């Protein structure tokens, strides 16, 4: 009750500010823009991030036209759709890094805006294959005259280092459970296996078909015509226009003229017309006599807790600033979400290619504890594989985007025998042990028969435990799950058909469904995030410590599809170059891991 007077006072101040500014906005109403400019770049979040109450500054401020979240973008489009004086929007697209689910959400928002009788004009300088369907969601597609349309389809690269490592005296020794658990093949195979190739091809086929369908509908061409156009890419601006892939070539400075916002007087050349800026939403709001006001609510909005599990899942603690999901951070976030009485439900957002078995089981147990208190829904739009999928099993339901990478139920473990490299470098080590398997983790030699047998038994036990968790969560038998497992990887659509996820949908749908399970009435809600990504970690170091099956299970398909999963794989980037591999291995051989 103490907050009510403060809310009333805040609303009174908002009312006074609105009333005092109304005369100025009425005066400016005659200059209300017919088109409002938005700039869509990077990977804006689904929902607006809550800003800290007290901040010392730092970081770059967004430009006035920047789309800061899909939530805010949708609110802006719905506001503009109601104004009869607004003809439409100009959507400037630049270096998008959106996963498929977010691209679908943007396209849906633009379709809703167009259905209200408004016009969408898209414009870009550089357009890649992933970005082009977003541009095609507009009524008119524009490209800068010097621009490029890199419409070439999709590709993925799989690497095999086995032969190269053997040439420098390194013998990778990995044991896996499941032929489809292909992550160790990066080190053990001289060439990419047929299984890895077929798995990657299945994802490329799905994404390619979706691309062809989107372009075919938007540009009014047959699928065969679109395939032929893709095969002829990339395109310069003039070629793209000649082939009907864009509607016109327009410089940024000429966009107002192209949209009819500037009239060229008789006898004047277009270049002699005074420059006119396309206005952003903030400028538009200055011309609306009574713009929407965010009144302070007497009754708080229902809250949904968001707990991200992003990056490689590892045990222990971590420092902020990277792409790891440490047990300590995620479990603490889950406990906080469970304790928060205002959070009626929890959305577990999983974006992980896998990680440590023991860490994922700890997080799974924490998810299950929270799920006994309030509804928990797991959502995946990029990668939810191996240990990442294990974590998601604690939720009441699993929701996936159509083309997310899902599954990879399997186990591997191993180490690198660097004895050949050490001999080349003139380094001599003597391993002295007490206990038959005490030298299991040593890099100075390979596994003995006894060590290999012990590790194989441990891996089999881990695999059976993994099957048991999945079978219990999905209401199936271990035999049924085994037929779907052994490292097999699925898209969200195929995972739904296989019974590994419950529903295909978008982020907002999953959020609202989670709240509906808590019997929260449909409407606006607040999203509060608990936890964050952790410190960076060398993937090489992670795998070199993988002789224990407690550190297993990365999904190599997500590595190969790096073009589509940049966020998940960015932490791997520095470890895929020969120089980095060799330097790290030499440091290990010299007994100086820190260099």
């Amino acid at each position: 009750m103490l907050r009510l007077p403060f809310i009333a006072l805040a609303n009174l101040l908002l009312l006074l500010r609105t009333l005092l500014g109304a005369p100025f906005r009425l005066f400016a109403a005659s200059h209300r823009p017919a088109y409002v400019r938005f700039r869509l770049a990077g990977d804006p979040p689904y929902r607006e991030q809550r800003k800290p109450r007290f901040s010392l500054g730092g970081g770059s401020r967004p430009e006035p036209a920047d789309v800061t979240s899909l939530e805010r973008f949708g609110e802006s489009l719905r506001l503009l759709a109601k104004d009869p004086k607004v003809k439409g929007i100009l959507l400037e697209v630049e270096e998008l890094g959106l996963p498929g689910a977010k691209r679908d959400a943007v396209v849906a928002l633009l379709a809703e805006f167009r259905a209200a009788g408004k016009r969408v004009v898209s414009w870009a300088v550089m357009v890649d294959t992933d970005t082009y369907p977003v541009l095609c969601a507009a009524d008119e597609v524009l490209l800068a005259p010097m621009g490029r349309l890199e419409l070439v389809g999709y590709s993925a690269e799989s690497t095999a280092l086995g032969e190269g490592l053997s040439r420098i005296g390194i013998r990778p020794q990995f044991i896996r459970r499941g032929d489809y658990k292909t992550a160790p093949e990066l080190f053990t195979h001289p060439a990419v296996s047929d299984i890895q190739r077929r798995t990657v091809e299945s994802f490329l086929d799905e994404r390619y078909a979706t691309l062809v369908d989107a372009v075919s509908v938007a540009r009014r061409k047959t699928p065969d015509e679109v395939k032929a156009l893709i095969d002829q890419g990339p395109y310069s601006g003039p070629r793209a226009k000649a082939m009907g892939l864009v509607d016109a070539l327009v410089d940024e400075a000429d966009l107002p003229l192209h949209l009819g916002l500037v009239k060229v007087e008789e006898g004047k050349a277009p270049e002699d017309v005074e420059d006119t800026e396309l206005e952003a939403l903030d400028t538009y709001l200055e011309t609306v006599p009574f713009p929407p006001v965010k009144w302070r609510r007497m009754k708080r909005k229902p809250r949904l807790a968001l707990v991200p599990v992003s990056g490689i899942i590892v045990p222990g603690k971590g420092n902020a600033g990277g792409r790891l999901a440490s047990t300590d951070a995620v479990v603490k976030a889950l406990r906080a979400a469970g304790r928060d009485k205002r959070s009626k439900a929890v959305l577990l957002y999983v974006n992980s290619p896998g990680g440590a078995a023991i860490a994922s089981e700890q997080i799974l147990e924490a998810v299950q504890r929270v799920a006994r208190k309030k509804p928990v829904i797991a959502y995946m739009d990029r990668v939810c594989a191996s240990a990442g999928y294990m974590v998601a099993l604690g939720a009441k339901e699993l929701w996936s985007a159509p083309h997310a990478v899902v599954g990879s139920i399997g186990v591997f473990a191993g180490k690198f025998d660097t004895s050949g490299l050490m001999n080349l470098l003139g380094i001599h080590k003597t391993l002295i042990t007490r206990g038959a398997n005490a030298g299991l983790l040593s890099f100075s030699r390979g596994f003995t028969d006894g060590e290999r047998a012990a590790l194989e038994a441990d891996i089999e036990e881990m695999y059976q435990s993994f099957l048991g968790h999945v079978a219990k969560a999905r209401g199936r038998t271990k035999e049924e799950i085994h037929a779907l497992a052994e490292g097999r990887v699925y898209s969200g659509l195929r995972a739904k058909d296989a019974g590994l996820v419950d529903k295909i949908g978008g982020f907002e749908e999953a959020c609202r469904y989670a709240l509906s399970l808590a019997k929260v009435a449909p409407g606006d809600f607040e999203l509060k995030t608990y936890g964050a990504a952790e410190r960076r970690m060398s993937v090489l170091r992670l795998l070199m410590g993988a002789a224990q099956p407690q550190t297993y299970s990365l999904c190599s398909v997500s590595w190969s599809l790096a073009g589509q999963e940049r966020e998940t794989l960015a932490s791997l980037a520095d470890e895929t170059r020969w120089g980095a591999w060799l330097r790290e291995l030499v440091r290990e051989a010299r007994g100086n891991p820190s260099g």
Side-chain angles (χ1 to χ4, degrees):
M1 296 298 292
L2 290 176
R3 64 189 294 267
L4 295 182
F6 293 100
I7 291 173
L9 178 61
N11 284 335
L12 179 60
L13 293 174
L14 286 171
L15 177 62
L16 287 173
R17 189 177 70 175
T18 302
L19 293 175
L20 290 173
F24 300 97
R25 291 190 292 272
L26 278 168
F27 180 76
S30 59
H31 302 289
R32 188 175 306 169
Y35 281 87
V36 176
R37 173 176 170 259
F38 291 91
R39 177 177 174 269
L40 183 63
D43 182 13
Y46 286 105
R47 289 209 153 217
E48 206 69 19
Q49 302 297 299
R50 294 182 64 185
K51 295 180 177 62
R53 293 185 180 181
F54 304 100
S55 175
L56 297 177
S60 59
R61 294 170 62 90
E63 294 290 327
D66 283 355
V67 174
T68 55
S69 71
L70 301 195
E71 172 195 30
R72 181 68 58 82
F73 186 46
E75 290 174 352
S76 302
L77 293 183
R78 284 187 280 273
L79 172 67
L80 295 172
K82 297 175 183 176
D83 190 338
K85 293 187 177 181
V86 172
K87 293 182 179 179
I89 66 167
L90 174 80
L91 182 66
E92 179 183 331
V93 180
E94 180 180 336
E95 294 184 357
L96 277 189
L98 301 177
K102 284 186 181 176
R103 288 197 299 271
D104 292 344
V106 170
V107 169
L109 290 173
L110 296 177
E112 179 185 343
F113 184 69
R114 293 172 64 189
K118 302 299 183 181
R119 193 161 178 262
V120 176
V121 178
S122 60
W123 180 85
V125 177
M126 289 286 292
V127 185
D128 62 16
T129 298
D130 276 335
T131 304
Y132 185 57
V134 177
L135 262 72
C136 286
D139 296 281
E140 186 178 17
V141 179
L142 307 179
L143 195 65
M146 80 293 288
R148 299 276 303 171
L149 174 57
E150 304 290 333
L151 181 64
V152 294
Y154 294 109
S155 66
E157 288 188 342
S158 295
T159 304
L161 300 175
E163 184 178 348
L165 292 175
S166 68
R167 291 182 180 181
I168 58 172
I170 298 172
R171 283 196 311 144
Q173 295 195 318
F174 284 85
I175 300 165
R176 62 180 176 178
R177 186 61 172 86
D179 291 340
Y180 292 81
K181 198 69 184 176
T182 56
E185 292 180 1
L186 170 66
F187 311 104
T188 59
H189 281 41
V192 175
S193 69
D194 288 340
I195 288 176
Q196 173 74 350
R197 175 185 289 275
R198 290 197 303 270
T199 303
V200 173
E201 284 179 346
S202 68
F203 282 89
L204 295 181
D205 288 343
E206 281 191 11
R207 292 174 180 178
Y208 183 73
T210 301
L211 170 68
V212 170
D213 182 62
V215 176
S216 175
V217 171
R219 304 306 297 175
R220 297 179 178 85
K221 297 181 183 295
T222 67
D224 287 340
E225 288 174 331
V226 173
K227 291 176 183 178
L229 288 168
I230 293 172
D231 289 343
Q232 295 171 47
Y235 294 89
S236 64
R239 277 192 68 220
K241 183 177 182 299
M243 302 303 287
L245 292 170
V246 300
D247 297 300
L249 303 178
V250 183
D251 278 316
E252 185 174 11
D254 294 333
L255 287 170
L257 181 64
H258 180 83
L259 296 174
L261 305 180
V262 178
K263 293 183 179 179
V264 181
E265 296 179 12
E266 190 175 347
K268 278 192 174 183
E271 56 268 21
D272 296 330
V273 177
E274 185 178 348
D275 285 348
T276 301
E277 292 288 336
L278 277 163
E279 306 294 355
L281 185 71
D282 288 349
T283 304
Y284 163 81
L285 293 175
E286 293 172 0
T287 67
V288 178
F290 297 99
V293 179
K294 291 194 173 182
W295 304 106
R296 301 295 184 265
R297 296 165 60 106
M298 295 295 181
K299 185 179 179 181
R300 288 171 171 168
K301 291 186 282 189
R303 176 184 288 173
L304 175 68
L306 174 67
V307 178
V309 182
S310 298
I312 298 172
I313 298 171
V314 295
K317 298 181 179 181
N319 301 317
R323 292 180 176 85
L324 289 185
S326 71
T327 306
D328 182 71
V330 177
V331 170
K332 282 183 178 178
L334 286 164
R335 287 173 181 167
R339 287 193 302 266
D340 184 3
K341 294 181 180 179
R342 280 196 58 207
S343 294
K344 303 304 180 184
V346 177
L347 188 80
L348 185 73
Y349 174 76
V350 184
N351 176 24
S352 172
I358 190 169
S360 62
E361 291 197 45
Q362 283 180 276
I363 296 174
L364 170 63
E365 195 269 337
V367 174
Q368 291 169 335
R369 285 204 310 271
V370 175
R372 287 194 285 269
K373 299 178 182 178
K374 57 185 70 174
V376 179
I377 296 297
Y379 183 71
M380 54 208 76
D381 63 357
R382 289 178 171 90
V383 181
C384 180
S386 296
Y389 184 72
M390 168 90 77
V391 165
L393 295 173
K396 182 177 179 63
E397 287 192 14
L398 277 62
W399 282 55
S400 175
H403 303 298
V405 178
V406 182
S408 193
I409 302 166
V411 185
F412 75 83
K415 68 176 182 179
F416 295 90
D417 172 9
T418 62
S419 57
L421 174 61
M422 288 190 289
N423 287 333
L424 288 173
L425 297 173
I427 299 171
H428 303 285
K429 282 192 175 184
T430 300
L431 180 64
I432 302 171
T433 65
R434 294 296 183 272
N437 296 334
L440 180 72
L441 303 181
S442 173
F443 295 105
S444 63
R445 62 163 174 79
F447 292 124
T448 65
D449 291 343
E451 289 169 348
R452 180 175 289 276
L455 190 55
E456 286 176 346
D458 211 359
I459 288 173
E460 180 62 27
E461 184 179 353
M462 282 285 176
Y463 180 65
Q464 294 300 324
S465 175
F466 202 160
L467 291 181
H469 283 300
V470 180
K472 182 179 179 181
R474 305 306 300 166
R476 311 277 284 277
T477 65
K478 287 176 68 173
E479 291 71 25
E480 289 174 325
I481 298 301
H482 171 68
L484 302 170
E486 294 193 285
R488 291 177 176 86
V489 183
Y490 303 85
S491 67
L493 291 169
R494 285 182 281 125
K496 170 68 167 59
D497 293 338
L500 295 178
V501 300
D502 297 291
K503 289 186 175 68
I504 301 295
F507 180 82
E508 289 291 329
E509 294 174 87
C511 289
R512 296 184 188 282
Y513 182 75
L515 288 171
S516 73
L517 294 179
K519 297 184 169 46
V520 174
D524 197 10
F525 64 92
E526 172 189 331
L527 191 68
K528 182 174 181 180
T529 302
Y530 291 87
E534 297 298 313
R535 59 186 170 85
R536 288 177 63 92
M537 185 178 197
S538 161
V539 174
L540 175 61
R541 191 177 299 282
L542 180 71
L543 289 169
M544 289 186 75
Q548 303 176 69
Q550 284 76 13
T551 54
Y552 74 84
S553 285
L554 297 176
C555 175
S556 60
V557 170
S558 66
W559 305 5
S560 299
L561 297 171
Q564 288 72 44
E565 309 298 342
R566 294 181 184 89
E567 294 75 13
T568 301
L569 302 167
S571 62
L572 307 180
D574 294 336
E575 305 303 335
T576 57
R577 297 182 178 89
W578 270 104
W581 288 98
L582 185 56
R583 283 193 298 273
E584 193 81 24
L585 290 167
V586 171
R587 287 171 188 156
E588 292 287 351
R590 290 176 175 169
N592 182 20
S594 64

